[in-house]
Amino acid sequence: MAEHKDMNKWRELAIKELKGKPLDTIFWQTPEGITVKPIYTWEDLEGLDFINTLSGMAPYLRGPTATMYTNQPWTIRQYAGFATAKESNEFYRKSLAAGQTGLSVAFDLATHRGYDSDHPRVAGDVGKAGVAIDSVEDMKILFDQIPLDKVSVSMTMNGAVLPILAGYIVAAEEQGVKQEQLSGTIQNDILKEFLTRNTYIYPPRPSMRIVSDVISYCSKHMPKYNTVSISGYHIMEAGANSVIEVAFTLADGKEYIRAALDAGLKIDDFAPRLSFFFGVGMNFFMEIAKLRAARYLWHKIVSEFNPQNPRSTVLRTHVQTSGWSLTEQDPYNNIIRTTIEALAAVLGGTQSLHTNSFDEAISLPTPFSARIARNTQLIIREESQVCHVVDPLGGSYYVEALTGAIIREAQKIMDEIESLGGMARAIETGMPKMLIEESAARRQARIDQGKDIIVGVNKYQIEEEVPVQVLEVPSTVREEQIARLKELKAKRDNEAVKRALEKITEVAEKGGNLLEVTIEAIRLRATVGEVSEAMEKVFGRYVAPQKLITGVYASEYGENGVIENIRQRTEAFKNKTGRRPRILITKMGQDGHDRGMKVVASAYADLGFDVDLSPMFQTPEEAAKMAVENDVHVVGVSSLAAGHKVLVPMLIEELKKMGGEDIIVIVGGIIPPPDYEFLYAHGVKGIYGPGTPITESATQVLKLLEEKYIP
């Protein structure tokens, strides 16, 4: 590259090769607003203060340990859990035997939201998107024949963190494993739930108290266990670009530090056991630079609190490949996407990794797809030879410059959050959620226009669908769980359980450590739902306000004939019927992933529809009542958690009971193709899977409305 050292000479060469085209056609503007040049030199590294640092040394940009994978490869985890504890346990034991080195437990949505399986609000959720856990008896089955003193266990749990962590502790005790022997991570990142995933239970303030109680208890009794996994993954999946993901994730972490300090802990008591959880998407070098930038910024943040232990300032992270980047169309392409993302995570220096299965845009992963996902990591580790060099991209002009750009842009957002009083206060203003939703809407508009290419979706489409085996969780899972609950309550000492639950309520109201009293209740066989309800008596159950972002989707399109055509049709519908087409967009059940519904709602409003956005976690009855009372033409159901075969037919029946039988019902999200005929047979008029352009779905909905209401 010697001839390119002089940038002016390179520009002259480039202009000749472009044959008269303007030079700016080869400059790229990323979604983060970072301009990427076609060539980088040593000049782009001027002013960067981390160029001469090494791995294992502050600010840890090149890796948290000196030798990285040359001494110890990353932990291979597969985030998994489905149906019953027994089935999940069988899957875990096979995975460990096949080379997996740690467990990562996925719980069903009923458990996340602190409901037992017999609660009427979870009819379509039990065992569908994770394993159903109602008590320590389920937890004991989940870890049967898995030595918890040797196997690291990561648990993605936030809202119901107290009964779930207590259940894990008691299950280990009854296996003969002491608390101080347990290793792994509990996510315990409630701020992220208010930002994106929405599987919260209590309002923000008592939720933050629970976080600090967990940190406090585990710091004393579980020194090997990570007490918070601060998650950027769900922020990314909700639509945030890399800069926003880094800024919000680290700002969340800073808020947890303050909460723990306010609870009386010292920074070195807990900071070494904080860990992170990032996502990686398809912008390969951006994702590598993101992880490096996050380590640099975290060191800077923690240093503000004057730690004495150097490990307090080290960012250690788990990484998961993107679920959002997976496509329903031509799904075997997802294997390639996951491989690229996994390699980015490794080159970025992750400490553990989960690789998504190729079929997760269609259904729950099958054993076949999960094996491919796990082997993706094994092949990278064993065959690619990337483990022999620490931070092999260190010194790359492009990677280092990109790392510096992310550091600068993320710092600007974090400074704004600090000016608002920290992340908890910023969340109350709505600023973080708005930025994420705007980013998601812009991204969707670029995809729908074909500006951002997704192979098999908006370019290089195949004509015939590729058949994929689908894993379906039977409805009998809920019946089995209910039967187990009845048996548990018949055998336990119910008076002792009642006293233990009353103690939890008392501690919630008057003070004390909530994890400590929850462990006592779980030992007596109190259930997840009972423990959650005991605190709900004091804290209440949080209901988040819903806001609709408008103007962003259309503005990203600019002048576009497709947008204008749809707007003309919605206006014509108004002129002929007296009002605009009105749609209620709702999520039923306990699924909190709202990216899809928010983006669709925003886009439909920009296209000229009147849009009603329901509260989260509706029952079919509540959704039908809202639809009838608001006199909508259409109900659009967003489904990502496999509850559609239960909840959608219930919604249609409720609409009929309330006089809304003329309301059109459509469904969008992750719907396995074999379920299409089932939904159509029950009265659904349109189904729009992942990758469907919003303009296409809106056009089809308008056609349904015109056929129904315009002669």
Side-chain angles (χ1 to χ4, degrees), residues 252-288:
D252 282 352
K254 192 170 186 178
E255 197 76 2
Y256 294 133
I257 287 176
R258 288 172 172 150
L261 294 175
D262 289 344
L265 296 176
K266 296 179 180 179
I267 186 71
D268 291 327
D269 291 341
F270 63 90
R273 301 314 306 170
L274 297 178
S275 67
F276 285 80
F277 173 25
F278 283 99
V280 284
M282 285 297 291
N283 187 351
F284 186 71
F285 290 107
M286 182 71 76
E287 299 298 344
I288 295 166

mmCIF file of all heavy atoms in Angstrom, residues 252-288:
data_model
loop_
_atom_site.group_PDB
_atom_site.id
_atom_site.type_symbol
_atom_site.label_atom_id
_atom_site.label_comp_id
_atom_site.label_asym_id
_atom_site.label_seq_id
_atom_site.Cartn_x
_atom_site.Cartn_y
_atom_site.Cartn_z
ATOM 1 N N ASP A 252 -26.626 2.379 31.546
ATOM 2 C CA ASP A 252 -27.327 1.473 32.470
ATOM 3 C C ASP A 252 -26.362 0.963 33.536
ATOM 4 O O ASP A 252 -26.674 0.933 34.733
ATOM 5 C CB ASP A 252 -27.909 0.271 31.708
ATOM 6 C CG ASP A 252 -29.195 0.593 30.970
ATOM 7 O OD1 ASP A 252 -29.734 1.702 31.162
ATOM 8 O OD2 ASP A 252 -29.654 -0.260 30.187
ATOM 9 N N GLY A 253 -25.170 0.550 33.098
ATOM 10 C CA GLY A 253 -24.178 0.042 34.040
ATOM 11 C C GLY A 253 -23.793 1.068 35.084
ATOM 12 O O GLY A 253 -23.644 0.742 36.275
ATOM 13 N N LYS A 254 -23.659 2.309 34.668
ATOM 14 C CA LYS A 254 -23.303 3.375 35.607
ATOM 15 C C LYS A 254 -24.409 3.575 36.635
ATOM 16 O O LYS A 254 -24.155 3.824 37.819
ATOM 17 C CB LYS A 254 -23.046 4.674 34.846
ATOM 18 C CG LYS A 254 -22.405 5.769 35.685
ATOM 19 C CD LYS A 254 -21.967 6.935 34.808
ATOM 20 C CE LYS A 254 -21.195 7.972 35.623
ATOM 21 N NZ LYS A 254 -20.717 9.096 34.768
ATOM 22 N N GLU A 255 -25.647 3.409 36.198
ATOM 23 C CA GLU A 255 -26.781 3.549 37.117
ATOM 24 C C GLU A 255 -26.783 2.431 38.160
ATOM 25 O O GLU A 255 -27.103 2.654 39.328
ATOM 26 C CB GLU A 255 -28.090 3.541 36.325
ATOM 27 C CG GLU A 255 -29.279 4.079 37.089
ATOM 28 C CD GLU A 255 -29.294 5.595 37.199
ATOM 29 O OE1 GLU A 255 -28.397 6.270 36.656
ATOM 30 O OE2 GLU A 255 -30.217 6.110 37.834
ATOM 31 N N TYR A 256 -26.403 1.216 37.748
ATOM 32 C CA TYR A 256 -26.329 0.110 38.702
ATOM 33 C C TYR A 256 -25.207 0.328 39.714
ATOM 34 O O TYR A 256 -25.340 -0.041 40.888
ATOM 35 C CB TYR A 256 -26.141 -1.216 37.965
ATOM 36 C CG TYR A 256 -27.327 -1.610 37.126
ATOM 37 C CD1 TYR A 256 -27.176 -2.046 35.817
ATOM 38 C CD2 TYR A 256 -28.623 -1.520 37.632
ATOM 39 C CE1 TYR A 256 -28.269 -2.393 35.041
ATOM 40 C CE2 TYR A 256 -29.718 -1.861 36.863
ATOM 41 C CZ TYR A 256 -29.535 -2.297 35.561
ATOM 42 O OH TYR A 256 -30.620 -2.633 34.795
ATOM 43 N N ILE A 257 -24.112 0.903 39.268
ATOM 44 C CA ILE A 257 -23.038 1.236 40.206
ATOM 45 C C ILE A 257 -23.556 2.186 41.276
ATOM 46 O O ILE A 257 -23.338 1.988 42.481
ATOM 47 C CB ILE A 257 -21.841 1.866 39.460
ATOM 48 C CG1 ILE A 257 -21.101 0.808 38.654
ATOM 49 C CG2 ILE A 257 -20.878 2.549 40.446
ATOM 50 C CD1 ILE A 257 -19.966 1.349 37.808
ATOM 51 N N ARG A 258 -24.273 3.209 40.858
ATOM 52 C CA ARG A 258 -24.802 4.183 41.819
ATOM 53 C C ARG A 258 -25.791 3.530 42.778
ATOM 54 O O ARG A 258 -25.801 3.833 43.971
ATOM 55 C CB ARG A 258 -25.477 5.339 41.067
ATOM 56 C CG ARG A 258 -24.480 6.264 40.377
ATOM 57 C CD ARG A 258 -25.194 7.260 39.499
ATOM 58 N NE ARG A 258 -24.280 8.271 38.986
ATOM 59 C CZ ARG A 258 -24.424 8.882 37.819
ATOM 60 N NH1 ARG A 258 -25.447 8.593 37.036
ATOM 61 N NH2 ARG A 258 -23.565 9.799 37.430
ATOM 62 N N ALA A 259 -26.628 2.629 42.252
ATOM 63 C CA ALA A 259 -27.610 1.952 43.107
ATOM 64 C C ALA A 259 -26.911 1.111 44.167
ATOM 65 O O ALA A 259 -27.314 1.089 45.336
ATOM 66 C CB ALA A 259 -28.535 1.086 42.261
ATOM 67 N N ALA A 260 -25.856 0.398 43.775
ATOM 68 C CA ALA A 260 -25.125 -0.437 44.730
ATOM 69 C C ALA A 260 -24.394 0.417 45.767
ATOM 70 O O ALA A 260 -24.366 0.081 46.960
ATOM 71 C CB ALA A 260 -24.136 -1.326 43.988
ATOM 72 N N LEU A 261 -23.809 1.520 45.326
ATOM 73 C CA LEU A 261 -23.131 2.418 46.269
ATOM 74 C C LEU A 261 -24.134 3.022 47.257
ATOM 75 O O LEU A 261 -23.850 3.148 48.454
ATOM 76 C CB LEU A 261 -22.398 3.533 45.508
ATOM 77 C CG LEU A 261 -21.210 3.083 44.636
ATOM 78 C CD1 LEU A 261 -20.660 4.269 43.849
ATOM 79 C CD2 LEU A 261 -20.120 2.440 45.477
ATOM 80 N N ASP A 262 -25.320 3.378 46.749
ATOM 81 C CA ASP A 262 -26.362 3.923 47.620
ATOM 82 C C ASP A 262 -26.826 2.898 48.649
ATOM 83 O O ASP A 262 -27.303 3.251 49.730
ATOM 84 C CB ASP A 262 -27.560 4.404 46.786
ATOM 85 C CG ASP A 262 -27.250 5.668 45.985
ATOM 86 O OD1 ASP A 262 -26.239 6.332 46.299
ATOM 87 O OD2 ASP A 262 -28.002 5.977 45.047
ATOM 88 N N ALA A 263 -26.695 1.612 48.296
ATOM 89 C CA ALA A 263 -27.098 0.537 49.220
ATOM 90 C C ALA A 263 -26.012 0.242 50.254
ATOM 91 O O ALA A 263 -26.183 -0.650 51.088
ATOM 92 C CB ALA A 263 -27.425 -0.725 48.436
ATOM 93 N N GLY A 264 -24.899 0.962 50.170
ATOM 94 C CA GLY A 264 -23.861 0.821 51.180
ATOM 95 C C GLY A 264 -22.666 -0.011 50.779
ATOM 96 O O GLY A 264 -21.747 -0.209 51.576
ATOM 97 N N LEU A 265 -22.651 -0.515 49.551
ATOM 98 C CA LEU A 265 -21.513 -1.299 49.096
ATOM 99 C C LEU A 265 -20.382 -0.385 48.615
ATOM 100 O O LEU A 265 -20.622 0.763 48.230
ATOM 101 C CB LEU A 265 -21.936 -2.224 47.958
ATOM 102 C CG LEU A 265 -22.958 -3.313 48.294
ATOM 103 C CD1 LEU A 265 -23.348 -4.067 47.036
ATOM 104 C CD2 LEU A 265 -22.410 -4.279 49.330
ATOM 105 N N LYS A 266 -19.170 -0.926 48.611
ATOM 106 C CA LYS A 266 -18.030 -0.223 48.050
ATOM 107 C C LYS A 266 -17.806 -0.717 46.623
ATOM 108 O O LYS A 266 -18.127 -1.854 46.296
ATOM 109 C CB LYS A 266 -16.784 -0.457 48.902
ATOM 110 C CG LYS A 266 -16.902 0.123 50.310
ATOM 111 C CD LYS A 266 -15.647 -0.168 51.127
ATOM 112 C CE LYS A 266 -15.776 0.406 52.536
ATOM 113 N NZ LYS A 266 -14.575 0.110 53.374
ATOM 114 N N ILE A 267 -17.248 0.140 45.783
ATOM 115 C CA ILE A 267 -17.117 -0.176 44.360
ATOM 116 C C ILE A 267 -16.409 -1.514 44.132
ATOM 117 O O ILE A 267 -16.834 -2.307 43.290
ATOM 118 C CB ILE A 267 -16.395 0.973 43.608
ATOM 119 C CG1 ILE A 267 -16.385 0.705 42.094
ATOM 120 C CG2 ILE A 267 -14.997 1.219 44.143
ATOM 121 C CD1 ILE A 267 -17.699 0.845 41.423
ATOM 122 N N ASP A 268 -15.373 -1.807 44.896
ATOM 123 C CA ASP A 268 -14.633 -3.053 44.688
ATOM 124 C C ASP A 268 -15.351 -4.276 45.247
ATOM 125 O O ASP A 268 -14.936 -5.412 44.989
ATOM 126 C CB ASP A 268 -13.235 -2.947 45.310
ATOM 127 C CG ASP A 268 -12.345 -1.970 44.556
ATOM 128 O OD1 ASP A 268 -12.497 -1.872 43.329
ATOM 129 O OD2 ASP A 268 -11.512 -1.295 45.202
ATOM 130 N N ASP A 269 -16.445 -4.047 46.013
ATOM 131 C CA ASP A 269 -17.228 -5.169 46.531
ATOM 132 C C ASP A 269 -17.989 -5.881 45.416
ATOM 133 O O ASP A 269 -18.260 -7.086 45.517
ATOM 134 C CB ASP A 269 -18.240 -4.689 47.577
ATOM 135 C CG ASP A 269 -17.590 -4.224 48.867
ATOM 136 O OD1 ASP A 269 -16.420 -4.596 49.100
ATOM 137 O OD2 ASP A 269 -18.242 -3.484 49.626
ATOM 138 N N PHE A 270 -18.361 -5.133 44.383
ATOM 139 C CA PHE A 270 -19.264 -5.706 43.384
ATOM 140 C C PHE A 270 -18.830 -5.488 41.942
ATOM 141 O O PHE A 270 -19.180 -6.293 41.058
ATOM 142 C CB PHE A 270 -20.679 -5.121 43.559
ATOM 143 C CG PHE A 270 -20.764 -3.638 43.339
ATOM 144 C CD1 PHE A 270 -21.022 -3.118 42.083
ATOM 145 C CD2 PHE A 270 -20.579 -2.754 44.400
ATOM 146 C CE1 PHE A 270 -21.093 -1.751 41.882
ATOM 147 C CE2 PHE A 270 -20.656 -1.382 44.204
ATOM 148 C CZ PHE A 270 -20.900 -0.885 42.942
ATOM 149 N N ALA A 271 -18.094 -4.418 41.644
ATOM 150 C CA ALA A 271 -17.766 -4.105 40.248
ATOM 151 C C ALA A 271 -17.033 -5.233 39.524
ATOM 152 O O ALA A 271 -17.294 -5.469 38.330
ATOM 153 C CB ALA A 271 -16.966 -2.807 40.172
ATOM 154 N N PRO A 272 -16.132 -5.987 40.190
ATOM 155 C CA PRO A 272 -15.468 -7.083 39.467
ATOM 156 C C PRO A 272 -16.419 -8.181 39.000
ATOM 157 O O PRO A 272 -16.068 -8.969 38.119
ATOM 158 C CB PRO A 272 -14.471 -7.629 40.499
ATOM 159 C CG PRO A 272 -14.202 -6.490 41.415
ATOM 160 C CD PRO A 272 -15.527 -5.778 41.524
ATOM 161 N N ARG A 273 -17.640 -8.254 39.593
ATOM 162 C CA ARG A 273 -18.586 -9.302 39.214
ATOM 163 C C ARG A 273 -19.693 -8.787 38.299
ATOM 164 O O ARG A 273 -20.623 -9.532 37.980
ATOM 165 C CB ARG A 273 -19.222 -9.937 40.464
ATOM 166 C CG ARG A 273 -18.253 -10.569 41.436
ATOM 167 C CD ARG A 273 -17.200 -11.444 40.787
ATOM 168 N NE ARG A 273 -17.738 -12.487 39.918
ATOM 169 C CZ ARG A 273 -17.005 -13.231 39.112
ATOM 170 N NH1 ARG A 273 -15.709 -13.035 39.026
ATOM 171 N NH2 ARG A 273 -17.547 -14.165 38.378
ATOM 172 N N LEU A 274 -19.618 -7.527 37.879
ATOM 173 C CA LEU A 274 -20.542 -7.043 36.859
ATOM 174 C C LEU A 274 -20.084 -7.574 35.502
ATOM 175 O O LEU A 274 -18.887 -7.631 35.215
ATOM 176 C CB LEU A 274 -20.567 -5.514 36.825
ATOM 177 C CG LEU A 274 -21.054 -4.790 38.085
ATOM 178 C CD1 LEU A 274 -20.956 -3.283 37.892
ATOM 179 C CD2 LEU A 274 -22.480 -5.192 38.434
ATOM 180 N N SER A 275 -21.030 -7.967 34.680
ATOM 181 C CA SER A 275 -20.665 -8.407 33.333
ATOM 182 C C SER A 275 -21.634 -7.779 32.336
ATOM 183 O O SER A 275 -22.633 -7.160 32.714
ATOM 184 C CB SER A 275 -20.705 -9.936 33.224
ATOM 185 O OG SER A 275 -22.031 -10.408 33.342
ATOM 186 N N PHE A 276 -21.344 -7.963 31.059
ATOM 187 C CA PHE A 276 -22.141 -7.339 30.008
ATOM 188 C C PHE A 276 -22.623 -8.383 29.012
ATOM 189 O O PHE A 276 -22.150 -9.528 28.989
ATOM 190 C CB PHE A 276 -21.315 -6.264 29.298
ATOM 191 C CG PHE A 276 -21.151 -5.006 30.115
ATOM 192 C CD1 PHE A 276 -20.201 -4.944 31.124
ATOM 193 C CD2 PHE A 276 -21.959 -3.917 29.895
ATOM 194 C CE1 PHE A 276 -20.050 -3.803 31.888
ATOM 195 C CE2 PHE A 276 -21.823 -2.772 30.659
ATOM 196 C CZ PHE A 276 -20.867 -2.710 31.652
ATOM 197 N N PHE A 277 -23.575 -7.978 28.206
ATOM 198 C CA PHE A 277 -24.197 -8.856 27.217
ATOM 199 C C PHE A 277 -24.503 -8.000 25.982
ATOM 200 O O PHE A 277 -25.416 -7.182 26.008
ATOM 201 C CB PHE A 277 -25.464 -9.459 27.823
ATOM 202 C CG PHE A 277 -26.319 -10.261 26.863
ATOM 203 C CD1 PHE A 277 -25.795 -10.862 25.737
ATOM 204 C CD2 PHE A 277 -27.676 -10.426 27.127
ATOM 205 C CE1 PHE A 277 -26.590 -11.596 24.876
ATOM 206 C CE2 PHE A 277 -28.483 -11.165 26.278
ATOM 207 C CZ PHE A 277 -27.933 -11.745 25.156
ATOM 208 N N PHE A 278 -23.699 -8.166 24.940
ATOM 209 C CA PHE A 278 -23.901 -7.390 23.720
ATOM 210 C C PHE A 278 -24.402 -8.276 22.591
ATOM 211 O O PHE A 278 -24.215 -9.502 22.597
ATOM 212 C CB PHE A 278 -22.585 -6.728 23.287
ATOM 213 C CG PHE A 278 -22.226 -5.511 24.103
ATOM 214 C CD1 PHE A 278 -21.308 -5.605 25.138
ATOM 215 C CD2 PHE A 278 -22.800 -4.283 23.843
ATOM 216 C CE1 PHE A 278 -20.967 -4.505 25.892
ATOM 217 C CE2 PHE A 278 -22.473 -3.166 24.596
ATOM 218 C CZ PHE A 278 -21.553 -3.272 25.625
ATOM 219 N N GLY A 279 -25.021 -7.662 21.626
ATOM 220 C CA GLY A 279 -25.395 -8.339 20.397
ATOM 221 C C GLY A 279 -24.391 -8.008 19.307
ATOM 222 O O GLY A 279 -23.676 -7.012 19.391
ATOM 223 N N VAL A 280 -24.330 -8.853 18.295
ATOM 224 C CA VAL A 280 -23.537 -8.532 17.106
ATOM 225 C C VAL A 280 -24.414 -8.725 15.877
ATOM 226 O O VAL A 280 -25.119 -9.725 15.753
ATOM 227 C CB VAL A 280 -22.268 -9.395 16.970
ATOM 228 C CG1 VAL A 280 -21.192 -8.944 17.915
ATOM 229 C CG2 VAL A 280 -22.549 -10.866 17.144
ATOM 230 N N GLY A 281 -24.376 -7.734 14.993
ATOM 231 C CA GLY A 281 -25.127 -7.792 13.753
ATOM 232 C C GLY A 281 -24.213 -7.988 12.557
ATOM 233 O O GLY A 281 -23.087 -8.469 12.686
ATOM 234 N N MET A 282 -24.692 -7.564 11.402
ATOM 235 C CA MET A 282 -24.023 -7.902 10.156
ATOM 236 C C MET A 282 -22.999 -6.874 9.676
ATOM 237 O O MET A 282 -22.324 -7.113 8.680
ATOM 238 C CB MET A 282 -25.072 -8.137 9.069
ATOM 239 C CG MET A 282 -25.789 -9.465 9.211
ATOM 240 S SD MET A 282 -24.678 -10.884 9.033
ATOM 241 C CE MET A 282 -24.278 -10.765 7.287
ATOM 242 N N ASN A 283 -22.882 -5.723 10.322
ATOM 243 C CA ASN A 283 -21.837 -4.771 9.934
ATOM 244 C C ASN A 283 -20.540 -5.218 10.607
ATOM 245 O O ASN A 283 -20.211 -4.805 11.709
ATOM 246 C CB ASN A 283 -22.214 -3.342 10.336
ATOM 247 C CG ASN A 283 -21.240 -2.323 9.798
ATOM 248 O OD1 ASN A 283 -20.188 -2.662 9.256
ATOM 249 N ND2 ASN A 283 -21.585 -1.061 9.932
ATOM 250 N N PHE A 284 -19.797 -6.060 9.937
ATOM 251 C CA PHE A 284 -18.714 -6.855 10.520
ATOM 252 C C PHE A 284 -17.715 -6.015 11.317
ATOM 253 O O PHE A 284 -17.502 -6.232 12.513
ATOM 254 C CB PHE A 284 -18.008 -7.608 9.388
ATOM 255 C CG PHE A 284 -16.954 -8.577 9.840
ATOM 256 C CD1 PHE A 284 -17.307 -9.758 10.473
ATOM 257 C CD2 PHE A 284 -15.619 -8.321 9.609
ATOM 258 C CE1 PHE A 284 -16.338 -10.669 10.873
ATOM 259 C CE2 PHE A 284 -14.644 -9.225 10.006
ATOM 260 C CZ PHE A 284 -15.009 -10.401 10.634
ATOM 261 N N PHE A 285 -17.104 -5.044 10.693
ATOM 262 C CA PHE A 285 -16.060 -4.279 11.368
ATOM 263 C C PHE A 285 -16.642 -3.339 12.424
ATOM 264 O O PHE A 285 -16.001 -3.078 13.449
ATOM 265 C CB PHE A 285 -15.222 -3.504 10.346
ATOM 266 C CG PHE A 285 -14.356 -4.380 9.498
ATOM 267 C CD1 PHE A 285 -14.671 -4.616 8.169
ATOM 268 C CD2 PHE A 285 -13.233 -4.990 10.032
ATOM 269 C CE1 PHE A 285 -13.879 -5.442 7.387
ATOM 270 C CE2 PHE A 285 -12.425 -5.821 9.258
ATOM 271 C CZ PHE A 285 -12.754 -6.054 7.927
ATOM 272 N N MET A 286 -17.841 -2.852 12.195
ATOM 273 C CA MET A 286 -18.496 -2.006 13.196
ATOM 274 C C MET A 286 -18.717 -2.782 14.492
ATOM 275 O O MET A 286 -18.513 -2.255 15.597
ATOM 276 C CB MET A 286 -19.837 -1.488 12.664
ATOM 277 C CG MET A 286 -20.581 -0.568 13.616
ATOM 278 S SD MET A 286 -19.802 1.053 13.796
ATOM 279 C CE MET A 286 -20.298 1.804 12.241
ATOM 280 N N GLU A 287 -19.120 -4.042 14.378
ATOM 281 C CA GLU A 287 -19.381 -4.844 15.572
ATOM 282 C C GLU A 287 -18.088 -5.142 16.335
ATOM 283 O O GLU A 287 -18.068 -5.153 17.570
ATOM 284 C CB GLU A 287 -20.085 -6.152 15.187
ATOM 285 C CG GLU A 287 -21.432 -5.973 14.503
ATOM 286 C CD GLU A 287 -22.463 -5.277 15.368
ATOM 287 O OE1 GLU A 287 -22.252 -5.185 16.598
ATOM 288 O OE2 GLU A 287 -23.472 -4.819 14.828
ATOM 289 N N ILE A 288 -17.009 -5.388 15.615
ATOM 290 C CA ILE A 288 -15.711 -5.599 16.260
ATOM 291 C C ILE A 288 -15.293 -4.338 17.012
ATOM 292 O O ILE A 288 -14.899 -4.386 18.185
ATOM 293 C CB ILE A 288 -14.654 -5.984 15.204
ATOM 294 C CG1 ILE A 288 -14.996 -7.339 14.583
ATOM 295 C CG2 ILE A 288 -13.249 -5.997 15.821
ATOM 296 C CD1 ILE A 288 -14.223 -7.655 13.322
#
